[in-house]
Amino acid sequence: MSLIAVGVDLCDMRRIERAIERFGERFLERVFTPIERARAERRTGAARIGAYAKRWAAKEAGAKALGTGFAQGVAHSLIGVENLPTGQPTLVLQGGALLRLHTLVPAGYEPHILLSMTDEPPYAFAEVIISARAG
């Protein structure tokens, strides 16, 4: 296995809460996938904001690991956090984000993404590690 890239992000949960209060559904639909919104909306209060903030941090960390930030076809809505059957979170990339991932991985290798998220109010943190395995 070869290490390709690492990205980290620290997010102030209060910033996400203010964005939700100010822009509501428009913000949530523009930034978060339906799966992410459904997971967060099963919670209330601080746990709901924490779910969104961790996913925001994961998207930011993912964009950093891709080496583009939110440019070159990479957008928040193209980076989704989903859970594996074990419960472990991972990133699911689409469109320009997926294309960028494939440019990072050498021929004959398959990408592998590790994601770790946590929150301790008022902060949420995420780390993304992109590696490649021989295919």
Side-chain angles (χ1 to χ4, degrees), residues 16-87:
I16 302 304
E17 184 174 30
R18 285 191 301 270
I20 293 170
E21 288 171 357
R22 183 171 178 195
F23 301 107
E25 283 300 310
R26 192 174 77 198
F27 170 74
L28 295 175
E29 289 177 6
R30 184 174 60 86
V31 174
F32 299 99
T33 68
I35 290 171
E36 292 170 319
R37 290 194 311 271
R39 186 171 188 92
E41 293 301 326
R42 288 195 299 263
R43 293 161 173 75
T44 60
R48 176 178 171 262
I49 299 303
Y52 281 123
K54 284 186 285 191
R55 282 152 184 79
W56 175 275
K59 293 167 184 284
E60 293 279 343
K64 291 172 184 175
L66 290 172
T68 59
F70 292 105
Q72 301 177 37
V74 176
H76 287 90
S77 61
L78 300 175
I79 300 174
V81 177
E82 294 184 14
N83 293 80
L84 300 173
T86 61

Side-chain angles (χ1 to χ4, degrees), residues 1-7 104 106 109 112 114 128-133:
M1 187 175 309
S2 299
L3 177 64
I4 302 294
V6 176
L104 296 175
Y109 284 76
H112 181 68
L114 292 172
V128 171
I129 299 171
I130 299 174
S131 61
R133 297 177 178 164

